[in-house]
């Protein structure tokens, strides 16, 4: 599996390369936003570690471009600690973020978690197809489409939320439960982080299905998909 590390600070790229290679992954490096897009387009990349502040194209601009065509797992790096910057990164399609200065082992753990959830780089014989409402979900292929054949590009976390709700129809999950089951970590973040992902997921589903409210909010409780 190949991981692309993108930061205009070459020392950071070299440091992460050492840790990632020690885990048996191949590493590509990029030092500006345009180079990232070129490598994602022409190489087989399984995960992207991307700095927010990149020359030529910012990290957020890069994420927007990638999300037009791919559900590639993306971990953002940022020196900014304000919540708005974190939420902006997630809203634009990034799956997770780490604030600088960081522990390389934490970055590596987040990357492995993203790749495990997304299924990138893994081949399966069984498609694990699930049909619910207007959607067809293929878990092992990380693929979602409408019954009319419209493909829906989701991030790894958006897909995880959708699959959790779809495989437990009519059950209401609160934000903490969703975080613990999809992020596979104890919930230590504000509920608004989950809310942002759910909102982005709902927008994509409504656009593809012609306005159907697939993910329903149970006010004051959580979210569900009805069967």
């Amino acid at each position: 599996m190949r991981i692309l590390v993108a930061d205009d600070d070459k020392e950071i790229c070299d440091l992460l390369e050492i840790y990632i290679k020690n885990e048996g992954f191949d590493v590509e490096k990029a030092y500006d936003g345009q180079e990232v897009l070129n490598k994602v387009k022409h190489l087989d990349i399984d995960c992207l570690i991307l700095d927010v502040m990149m020359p030529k194209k910012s990290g957020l601009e890069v994420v927007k471009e990638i999300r037009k065509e791919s559900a590639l797992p993306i971990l953002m790096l940022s020196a900014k600690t304000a919540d708005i910057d974190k939420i902006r990164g997630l809203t634009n399609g990034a799956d997770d973020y780490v604030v600088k200065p960081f522990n390389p082992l934490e970055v590596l753990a987040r990357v492995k978690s993203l790749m495990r959830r997304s299924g990138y780089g893994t081949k399966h014989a069984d498609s694990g197809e699930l049909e619910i409402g207007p959607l067809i979900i293929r878990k092992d292929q990380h693929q979602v489409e409408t019954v009319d054949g419209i493909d829906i590009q989701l991030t790894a976390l958006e897909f995880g939320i959708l699959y959790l709700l779809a495989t437990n129809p009519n059950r209401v999950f609160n934000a903490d439960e969703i975080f613990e089951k999809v992020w596979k970590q104890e919930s230590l973040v504000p509920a608004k982080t989950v809310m942002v992902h759910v909102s982005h997921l709902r927008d994509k589903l409504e656009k593809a299905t012609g306005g159907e409210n697939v993910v329903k909010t149970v006010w004051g409780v959580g979210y569900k998909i009805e069967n």
Side-chain angles (χ1 to χ4, degrees):
M1 286 187 252
R2 182 180 292 135
I3 297 173
L4 174 57
V5 180
D7 197 303
D8 59 340
D9 186 332
K10 294 186 178 182
E11 291 185 359
I12 288 179
C13 288
D14 291 343
L15 175 65
L16 289 175
E17 180 181 27
I18 292 171
Y19 281 83
I20 293 170
K21 282 189 171 181
N22 281 342
E23 291 294 318
F25 299 112
D26 294 327
V27 177
E28 290 287 335
K29 294 182 285 187
Y31 305 110
D32 66 66
Q34 189 58 54
E35 186 179 7
V36 174
L37 292 176
N38 290 341
K39 290 196 172 185
V40 168
K41 182 177 180 180
H42 296 292
L43 298 177
D44 184 15
I45 303 297
D46 296 293
C47 187
L48 170 61
I49 302 173
L50 176 65
D51 186 35
V52 171
M53 301 299 293
M54 295 284 284
K56 296 187 180 180
K57 282 184 178 290
S58 74
L60 298 180
E61 290 176 314
V62 169
V63 171
K64 286 182 180 179
E65 289 296 315
I66 291 174
R67 283 292 174 255
K68 292 177 181 178
E69 299 181 354
S70 172
L72 173 71
I74 301 175
L75 174 70
M76 300 293 288
L77 305 178
S78 176
K80 298 181 179 182
T81 57
D83 282 345
I84 186 62
D85 291 313
K86 298 175 183 178
I87 298 302
R88 280 182 64 203
L90 294 171
T91 302
N92 284 336
D95 296 294
D96 203 353
Y97 62 85
V98 173
V99 177
K100 296 178 179 179
F102 54 76
N103 183 331
L105 291 175
E106 178 188 3
V107 173
L108 185 60
R110 299 281 189 96
V111 165
K112 290 166 74 174
S113 178
L114 284 179
M115 294 173 69
R116 184 170 59 250
R117 289 197 299 264
S118 71
Y120 262 71
T122 305
K123 295 181 179 179
H124 305 269
D126 183 7
S127 66
E129 185 171 296
L130 169 68
E131 184 172 341
I132 186 165
L135 303 176
I136 298 173
I137 304 169
R138 298 181 179 92
K139 179 178 184 292
D140 293 338
Q141 298 175 19
H142 196 270
Q143 184 181 53
V144 182
E145 64 180 30
T146 69
V147 292
D148 297 323
I150 300 173
D151 186 56
I152 306 173
Q153 291 289 335
L154 301 179
T155 67
L157 291 175
E158 290 164 2
F159 185 90
I161 293 169
L162 175 63
Y163 193 77
L164 172 66
L165 298 179
T167 52
N168 295 275
N170 304 315
R171 177 181 169 183
V172 180
F173 288 86
N174 64 36
D176 286 341
E177 289 176 314
I178 291 173
F179 187 88
E180 291 173 5
K181 291 181 180 295
V182 176
W183 275 251
K184 301 189 185 302
Q185 303 175 33
E186 184 178 351
S187 180
L188 299 174
V189 300
K192 65 181 179 182
T193 298
V194 174
M195 291 170 59
V196 166
H197 284 282
V198 171
S199 176
H200 204 44
L201 168 63
R202 181 181 283 131
D203 288 344
K204 291 180 179 180
L205 297 180
E206 289 183 356
K207 181 178 179 180
T209 60
E212 287 199 40
N213 182 21
V214 179
V215 178
K216 300 183 184 299
T217 299
V218 179
W219 294 106
V221 184
Y223 308 94
K224 68 176 180 177
I225 292 179
E226 294 181 345
N227 190 357

